[in-house]
Amino acid sequence: LVIVIMFISNYIVYKNSISGIYEKITQNNSLVVKNIIQSFDSSFASVNNLIFSVHGLPYDLESENKTLDMAKAFTLQEHLARLASSLDYVEDIVVFYDGLDLAVTSKGTSDFQILFDKKYKHETYTSKYWHMFAASKHALTFFPISDYTVSSDGLTRRTLQLMVAMDGNRVRLSNKNVMVLLNAEKLLKQIDLKAMIPGASLLVLDANRNVVLSTDPAQ
């Protein structure tokens, strides 16, 4: 009888302890996930505000005689550089116009085809792809993190994980097409995924339930 009583008592203590630990872990994990979601929302909202600011810049690169005004392009580039420096995880800002081959970025000016077929090279997201997407009707879109081959001087190449945000055009704020290239490593460092439970994975979806980010290699 004594052994039975001790066994029951120990089982009750064990069960209560496990229940308490599980409840505590659940609460902590819920708080961690909530903070991660808020961090992503804040980061994406900042990118959206950045795009809005770029549209507000009063620079039309076409002069009165329909030629390219490079003085305005260089002034626009200076403003983009200042805006890009406001967010640590912004790798580059790209502005281009319908009918023009020139792309103005926060790091300089470039031919649009060279920019995305040479400098920021990707097997799928080529210059032709971006032109086609820009021509389609779309909302603000975040493209999933992917490996890009980045060349800074035409010779040196490195692999960089980037997430690309393309502004929406259903309601045009200006005649600009705006792209923001986000450094995935710096973005995730700011969000701090280390607080997640070891072994847990995170899946981030956009408004259309497309996968933007996954920490699960199987995804």
Side-chain angles (χ1 to χ4, degrees):
L1 180 59
V2 172
I3 294 174
V4 172
I5 293 174
M6 289 179 62
F7 175 79
I8 294 175
S9 299
N10 290 336
Y11 176 76
I12 292 173
V13 172
Y14 169 78
K15 185 176 181 180
N16 290 338
S17 298
I18 293 298
S19 298
I21 294 172
Y22 177 79
E23 183 178 351
K24 187 67 175 178
I25 291 176
T26 301
Q27 291 175 351
N28 291 341
N29 190 50
S30 178
L31 182 61
V32 167
V33 171
K34 183 178 180 180
N35 289 336
I36 289 175
I37 292 173
Q38 289 176 343
S39 296
F40 270 112
D41 283 344
S42 177
S43 298
F44 290 164
S46 296
V47 172
N48 185 50
N49 292 337
L50 179 63
I51 291 174
F52 186 83
S53 298
V54 173
H55 276 294
L57 296 174
Y59 297 105
D60 186 347
L61 300 190
E62 284 189 344
S63 60
E64 294 182 358
N65 58 359
K66 299 299 180 180
T67 60
L68 196 61
D69 192 329
M70 290 306 298
K72 290 182 179 180
F74 289 131
T75 303
L76 175 59
Q77 184 267 322
E78 292 176 351
H79 283 278
L80 294 180
R82 282 195 286 269
L83 287 172
S85 65
S86 65
L87 296 175
D88 292 338
Y89 48 87
V90 171
E91 184 70 24
D92 205 350
I93 302 174
V94 179
V95 172
F96 62 101
Y97 298 80
D98 297 337
L100 294 179
D101 295 327
L102 181 72
V104 182
T105 81
S106 59
K107 299 179 180 180
T109 58
S110 172
D111 180 274
F112 189 85
Q113 183 175 351
I114 293 176
L115 183 66
F116 285 106
D117 292 345
K118 299 292 185 182
K119 184 173 182 179
Y120 297 111
K121 188 175 181 180
H122 191 279
E123 291 183 0
T124 301
Y125 303 128
T126 62
S127 60
K128 184 177 180 180
Y129 176 92
W130 292 123
H131 269 308
M132 291 177 61
F133 186 81
S136 66
K137 289 296 181 182
H138 59 274
L140 171 65
T141 304
F142 286 85
F143 290 82
I145 292 175
S146 189
D147 289 336
Y148 287 75
T149 301
V150 180
S151 174
S152 56
D153 56 7
L155 298 174
T156 306
R157 298 176 184 273
R158 61 192 175 112
T159 299
L160 195 63
Q161 286 197 319
L162 299 175
M163 174 187 290
V164 178
M166 172 78 83
D167 69 325
N169 61 4
R170 290 176 181 172
V171 178
R172 294 299 297 264
L173 300 176
S174 72
N175 63 340
K176 304 179 187 71
N177 296 297
V178 183
M179 301 172 67
V180 181
L181 280 58
L182 308 178
N183 185 304
E185 181 180 357
K186 294 180 179 179
L187 175 63
L188 296 181
K189 184 177 180 180
Q190 173 179 292
I191 292 173
D192 189 16
L193 300 179
K194 294 180 180 178
M196 292 174 56
I197 294 177
S201 60
L202 177 69
L203 195 66
V204 179
L205 307 178
D206 64 12
N208 297 318
R209 303 188 67 81
N210 298 313
V211 177
V212 175
L213 177 150
S214 175
T215 60
D216 185 357
Q219 287 288 337

